[in-house]
Amino acid sequence: MHKRKVKERVYWLGAIDWDRRLFDSLIPLPDGTTYNAYLVQGSEKTALLDTVDPPETEVLMGELAGVDKIDFVVSHHAEQDHSGAIPRVLERFPEARVLVTPKAKGMLMDLLRIPEDTFVTVEDGETLSLGDKTLKFIHTPWVHWPETMVTYLEEDRILFSCDFFGSHIATSDLFVTDPGRVYEAAKRYFAEIMMPFRGVIEKNLEKLKGYDIQMIAPSHGQIYDRPDWIMEAYRDWVVGAPRNLVVLPFVSMHGSTRQLVDGLASRLAGHGVSVELFNLTVTDIGKLAMALVDAATVVVGAPTVLAGPHPLAAYATLLANALRPKAKYLSIVGSYGWGGKTVETLAGMIPNLKVEVLEPVLCRGGSSGTALEAVDRLAGTIADKHRENGFT
Ligand code: FEO
């Protein structure tokens, strides 16, 4: 790819990773991703904003082939998918200084062994003149690491947001062409990466309200040339009320837990409550995370194996605890053969969740009339709770 014009003397550089299917050895990337860097050429100085993932370093260096000088490398975020090529950029442009938050400096020294005297730290709100273009650095901690910041290019009113507002989509289109597709990908990204930090993201969204942002250029996915909708979507995901939705991740070994899950889903639907089922043996964890953005209630379907919850149910519970969704209620349904501590174990795995735990339904062996009556009561309780809270 060659460098591509975003605005006058503002260019996209970077790599399109069409093949990548997993991030952090954890997060599915069904649509690949991009690593976006940007070149801002002022009348006096030139800045490179972020770089690319280490395996794509030579792609970036090829795009920089015709660039005579880089005075500054702005590193918004120390994670290597954006910072990984900085050492190679500094080899080619040894005079460049790396601009970072104070926290990022230490992290980049640890992660990439960049010498200390290469860095210049910038304070929140500090500006840097490139001549006829001015960069303003805005600290946005915990989006999604403690050192993160964004840059506002004042004259062009572009926000370079790094991971903030990002989406994992490999595409050759520079700007958003299909908002529906990008909404889905950005929500998946939010769910997997940003959701645990909703509180600080809300503060960072407030902070950005004071800026006239005409374009958001993230470091993953396409550039938003009409950014209002993605900022509004973030507000909804962060502070919007949960929906009248039950998310039901489950696993079933011999069909008994499945009977309870299907019974619960059917009864909830009868009460007008939406349900999304995720069979953990086949589900895309990203889809489950997206559903957790909206769910008012989570019910884990877990059979007992080796005296505890099935490991896949434990994994989903651990994940939900880590992602800290805004769900208000949680319950468990499942079956067992002769005993075990499934409920106690799962309940002990959710210290981060501010949920009311509703009476679980566990049955010995196949689902019985008694168990289905309990499922019926659970569905009614959930529907009542949702109604009382006004979840729609
Ligand atoms: Fe895209 Fe947090 O790195």
Side-chain angles (χ1 to χ4, degrees):
M1 209 43 91
H2 297 291
K3 72 180 196 292
R4 305 174 74 185
K5 183 175 172 182
V6 177
K7 279 240 184 170
E8 207 54 48
R9 286 178 285 118
V10 179
Y11 298 95
W12 173 93
L13 311 168
I16 305 172
D17 200 340
W18 299 96
D19 298 341
R20 191 159 183 178
R21 288 293 174 270
L22 204 57
F23 200 88
D24 291 343
S25 300
L26 173 67
I27 297 165
L29 303 183
D31 300 313
T33 192
T34 67
Y35 315 105
N36 305 334
Y38 298 94
L39 192 71
V40 181
Q41 294 178 311
S43 54
E44 293 171 16
K45 303 282 185 186
T46 296
L48 176 68
L49 279 56
D50 292 319
T51 65
V52 293
D53 204 34
E56 306 291 345
T57 298
E58 291 314 312
V59 173
L60 177 67
M61 298 316 293
E63 293 162 343
L64 288 170
V67 175
D68 296 333
K69 63 159 189 167
I70 289 178
D71 300 287
F72 306 104
V73 178
V74 177
S75 180
H76 292 118
H77 177 25
E79 195 166 10
Q80 291 93 321
D81 52 327
H82 309 296
S83 67
I86 292 176
R88 180 75 178 88
V89 170
L90 292 174
E91 275 177 34
R92 164 88 198 285
F93 301 99
E95 72 286 1
R97 300 296 86 179
V98 180
L99 305 187
V100 289
T101 62
K103 271 206 173 75
K105 175 180 166 181
M107 295 172 86
L108 286 172
M109 287 170 63
D110 289 343
L111 290 168
L112 299 173
R113 304 294 167 204
I114 298 172
E116 184 169 10
D117 60 5
T118 311
F119 292 98
V120 176
T121 59
V122 296
E123 296 303 319
D124 186 23
E126 189 173 329
T127 57
L128 173 74
S129 173
L130 305 177
D132 60 353
K133 291 188 186 287
T134 311
L135 303 180
K136 182 165 185 173
F137 305 108
I138 306 165
H139 289 196
T140 51
W142 292 107
V143 186
H144 61 118
W145 280 13
E147 85 297 4
T148 42
M149 71 168 177
V150 299
T151 296
Y152 181 64
L153 174 52
E154 293 184 342
E155 290 77 7
D156 295 298
R157 289 176 279 185
I158 303 174
L159 183 76
F160 297 95
S161 62
C162 201
D163 279 344
F164 208 0
F165 308 113
S167 64
H168 285 309
I169 300 181
T171 169
S172 60
D173 294 328
L174 192 55
F175 296 96
V176 171
T177 48
D178 180 347
R181 183 180 180 216
V182 176
Y183 178 94
E184 181 94 357
K187 186 174 185 181
R188 174 187 277 266
Y189 191 86
F190 171 85
E192 294 163 335
I193 303 289
M194 301 290 177
M195 188 156 62
F197 310 106
R198 276 183 296 122
V200 279
I201 289 176
E202 181 183 357
K203 290 194 183 100
N204 286 319
L205 286 169
E206 280 299 309
K207 205 168 178 179
L208 294 179
K209 266 188 176 169
Y211 294 87
D212 176 13
I213 297 168
Q214 306 231 327
M215 194 179 281
I216 294 179
S219 292
H220 295 292
Q222 294 168 299
I223 297 171
Y224 302 90
D225 49 358
R226 288 188 287 278
D228 287 356
W229 69 264
I230 186 65
M231 296 182 85
E232 200 45 53
Y234 255 71
R235 274 184 210 105
D236 177 39
W237 300 333
V238 168
V239 297
R243 306 258 192 273
N244 181 23
L245 169 67
V246 174
V247 167
L248 229 168
F250 73 95
V251 56
S252 188
M253 295 164 70
H254 297 287
S256 305
T257 297
R258 179 75 198 235
Q259 286 173 347
L260 298 176
V261 165
D262 285 342
L264 180 62
S266 160
R267 285 159 175 80
L268 285 167
H271 285 290
V273 178
S274 300
V275 191
E276 287 193 44
L277 267 61
F278 294 92
N279 183 333
L280 294 166
T281 61
V282 295
T283 200
D284 168 349
I285 287 296
K287 287 266 188 196
L288 172 58
M290 285 168 71
L292 289 173
V293 173
D294 298 322
T297 299
V298 179
V299 179
V300 179
T304 295
V305 55
L306 301 174
H310 191 288
L312 288 177
Y315 173 63
T317 307
L318 201 62
L319 189 71
N321 182 62
L323 294 178
R324 299 172 185 244
K326 54 191 169 193
K328 301 291 183 204
Y329 305 101
L330 185 135
S331 191
I332 298 161
V333 298
S335 69
Y336 61 96
W338 50 89
K341 293 190 179 302
T342 290
V343 168
E344 295 91 321
T345 304
L346 291 179
M349 293 173 79
I350 52 166
N352 293 341
L353 301 187
K354 295 182 175 63
V355 291
E356 178 184 341
V357 178
L358 305 176
E359 185 67 31
V361 179
L362 282 213
C363 72
R364 186 194 291 267
S367 67
S368 61
T370 311
L372 290 174
E373 281 168 19
V375 159
D376 203 23
R377 282 195 299 278
L378 177 59
T381 302
I382 292 170
D384 288 346
K385 299 272 187 193
H386 287 200
R387 202 175 306 113
E388 287 161 15
N389 282 280
F391 297 146
T392 56

